[in-house]
Amino acid sequence: MRRMLDLIYTSALVASAGALVTIAVLVFAQIGGRILDRFLLAMGREVVGFQVPSLAEIGGFLFVGAAFLALPATLRAAGHVRVTMLAQALPGAAARAVTIIVLAAGLGLAAFAAWHSGVQAQDSWAFNSVSFGMVRVPLWIPQGVMTLGLILFAVALADELVAALRGATPAFREAEAARSIDDGGH
Amino acid sequence: MDLFTLSLILVAVLFVCLALGLWVGFSLIAVGLVAMTLATPAPVGAVFGTKAWAALNIWDLTALPMFIWMGEILFRSRLSSDLFTGLAPFTRRLPGGLLHVNIMGCALFAAVSGSSAATTATVGRMSLPELKARGYDDKMAIGTLAGSGTFGFLIPPSIILIVYGAATEQSIARLFLAGVLPGLMLAAMFGGYTMFWAWRNRHLMPPPEPPAPWREKIRAAALLLPTVGLIVAVIGSIYGGLASPTEAAVVGVVGALAISGLSGGLDRKGAWDSLRGAAVTTCMIAFILVGAAFLTGAMGYTGIPRSLAAWIGDQGFSQYALLAALLVFFIVLGFFLDGISIVVLTVSVILPMVLAAGIDPIWFGVFLVLVVEMSQITPPVGFNLFVLQSITGKGIFTIARYAAPFFFLLVAATVILTLFPQIALWLPSTMSAR
Amino acid sequence: QTAWDMPTPYGDTVFHTMNIMEFADDVREATGGQLDITVHSAGSLFGHPEIKDAVRRGLAPIGEILLSRLANENPLFEADSIPFLADSYADARALWAASRPAVEALLAEQGLTLLYAVPWPGQSLYLTEEVTDPAALQGVTFRAYNTATEQLANILGMVPTQVEAGDIPTAFATGRVAAMMTSPSTGVSSQAWDFTSVYVDVNAWLPKNVIFVNTEALNALPEDQRAGLLAAAAEAEARGWAMSEAETATQIATLESNGMTVVQPSEALSAALAAAGAQMTEEWLARAGDEGAAIVAAYEAAQ
Ligand code: NA
Ligand code: NA
């Protein structure tokens, strides 16, 4: 179970990184097209006018994918920002209780977010909503990826909550502790 | 429920969520949920879905992960330490020494990037570990960075000015020009303060080194070449018409990959770590953007920012009194909302009274950017604070305290700009000559 | 009392938004304040891409969009954006009369009721250098933001170039793009004289903004409020067309007074543009099928 969950979080992170690399490759191709045209123009030849169709829209979709798919891994790496003053000030048992409350609240909100993101993707599917630019992209695809990211986020929060309820230290608490030692924060 | 009670409840909810340690993105979502549940019959879940989607489905945002990725690559290559070793002989004699790298680095980087989060994250990832290794005071190292990171918005290109220009039908070209001199002025003020601080707090500065012979200076300058080349490539790609400001971020990534590949500093693990770091930092910022966008939508439904702004409009203030009132209003909103949200939510109510008071709309754009910059470094909701917390592991209130002097310098800059509006308006006025 | 939030995409100084503000006032007056519409301009409640589905899903009861943004859904939505099919206000009126039932029916399928539509002034050419010979357009980079503008550029031998709205001044200043097509209104509001120098008054097409309402929300209104709303909409439509037409001349004059060279297209250029328009009409008819053919037939009969 543990290995499977970790595999899921890592796969989502790899997909997120893949989206970032795709953005870089597409944009670089677009810039390369302009450089080629400059070169051809300087040689007195006709320009090719190469461009990545709908680059701006597709870039936006890829950014959505990259951001939402990294949610679980970011949570576990303590990448998400929160105020840790109380957690640090309280004695062990009370701090654990607060961690459980925070994880439960986060899980509830993530479930809310995932549910309504799913409804939105389903509506876009039912409405046949499509993008506006040159390439006709059905909106349920990027919205579906967004929903998947939020579902995995909820799973990761549930995972951490179960760990905390069992009396273990959730991964994000470990990462927070490790970071504050590294940086000599306290 | 009247808006005053509602506002109090919302502020209380925000503080309880944040104090408990609920993640910032979730805290903003929670406040939005409470606001919409109490104040409007609109379907809150559907509004959340739409705002979350629209918050991130934005082409200009793609520059953010690219610049962060670039910073991650440079941080893992020898380039960032070379940069500091290279600059050291030149800044040695300057009070404040390498702290000026933060300010100058951010000012330079701001000429490339339109966002303050990207500027703070990229420069911070490179400079903070180096400053720490060289024995600089944490408080000042982080404070200068938090303050200077906000140049991203003032020195063109600027996301805030694009949003303001689009909402108010002002020329984006003129707005960009208007930001240049105030940006340089602010950099000079921050530099001056840093010198003053270093002069007063000599005991907190690393021991001064002997002046460098010219031979060493030349050797040091050679170390700077790759960094200078990278900056020239990124800025040059924009001004040479090869890339839009958004696309130029990828020039930075490719350049950073090329340099660190050539210098042999980046292996497979380093490459993956840099990409992973970029994904995680991007996700952190994006998640807060989602929360902020939902809260902005909720605020639009409740009408709180509109009513507050309209109330100021009803007071019949004179020009200076109006600006002072708006300054306070924006600082207060800036504690709780992010900068772009503030502009989007209030500009439609505020611009008419600003114009009625005879204030130049281009000038007001620069004024807005300055107050938005303040909001970046005021707790509990400030994006530079979040970025710096994720880099340093220090709490946002601690970082906000470090950044406080720069907040006051920003206030001072708005006062100077109010007394001498030509600082903003002179450059754009040269455009009408054509 | 019913309170309606109305998301709109454009800023407060755009005549479309001013017309909507007046429309909201008229509705308040006609319903004795019982129907109160709050206009959220400049995308402050929902952005342009989200407005239609937001109204459709009941997040806001009423909204405004540029009709041709829906071209990827159905080619009938871009009938008003075919170059030189209808290039004057009289023609635009006739084309709207011919296409309105189809647009209404398509929106009705989505649970939306069309209230009214108002055109932008004609789309004209903004250049950095004066062009009289169409051959001079060869190889010039032209801002393309959808399939239709891309196709237009290709037919004219120009190089279609994607430039996002906020990036336009930088793109012109740095030479990534050298020509664009937009209305004199947008030219003035974006202060096109900062980055272009020639305005060629070609009036290629008059795209429209549509104001529509969620049908369920409309039916939930009491009879007298619904009547007040529809009456105000009819008035807003008439007023909006007049505002648009009046705006054309004043905005062109503003372009000129800010130093832009305002010219009429040369005969050769007009002919080249008309040929491109004819080709694009054919292509559109191939895509839009029988319904498209019916619209063009009705339009030509009315002319
Ligand atoms: Na900038
Ligand atoms: Na703040």
Side-chain angles (χ1 to χ4, degrees), chain B residues 51 169 171 174 241 301 306, chain C residues 13 39 45 59 176 189 194:
Chain B
K51 295 308 277 190
E169 319 288 330
S171 157
R174 279 163 203 265
Y301 277 107
R306 270 173 179 257
Chain C
T13 52
V39 180
L45 190 61
L59 280 62
R176 265 181 290 130
S189 66
D194 283 350

Side-chain angles (χ1 to χ4, degrees), chain A residues 113 116-117 120 146, chain B residues 44-54 294, chain C residues 57:
Chain A
H116 288 289
S117 172
Q120 172 172 250
M146 165 175 162
Chain B
V44 54
V47 171
F48 171 82
T50 305
K51 295 308 277 190
W53 161 251
F294 174 55
Chain C
R57 302 175 70 207

Side-chain angles (χ1 to χ4, degrees), chain B residues 151-206:
Chain B
F151 295 163
F153 283 146
L154 190 54
I155 297 175
S158 158
I159 293 177
I160 295 277
L161 285 176
I162 289 178
V163 169
Y164 173 78
T168 61
E169 319 288 330
Q170 293 304 315
S171 157
I172 290 165
R174 279 163 203 265
L175 284 167
F176 276 6
L177 276 183
V180 174
L181 288 182
L184 295 178
M185 176 184 89
L186 205 58
M189 287 169 72
F190 284 9
Y193 170 76
T194 303
M195 286 192 223
F196 174 76
W197 181 90
W199 173 69
R200 287 291 302 271
N201 297 279
R202 260 164 289 194
H203 59 288
L204 291 177
M205 292 292 293

Side-chain angles (χ1 to χ4, degrees), chain C residues 91-111:
Chain C
D91 284 357
R93 258 179 230 280
L95 181 60
W96 178 225
S99 58
R100 183 169 193 150
V103 169
E104 271 178 339
L106 285 172
L107 289 178
E109 277 172 27
Q110 306 190 1

Side-chain angles (χ1 to χ4, degrees), chain B residues 19 46 118 340:
Chain B
I340 295 183

Side-chain angles (χ1 to χ4, degrees), chain B residues 330-339 342 371-383 385-386:
Chain B
F330 282 124
I331 288 175
V332 171
L333 270 193
F335 285 124
F336 306 106
L337 294 174
D338 80 285
I342 298 173
V371 296
V372 163
E373 291 193 352
M374 294 173 203
S375 79
Q376 299 290 314
I377 53 175
T378 53
V381 179
F383 273 82
L385 303 179
F386 301 150

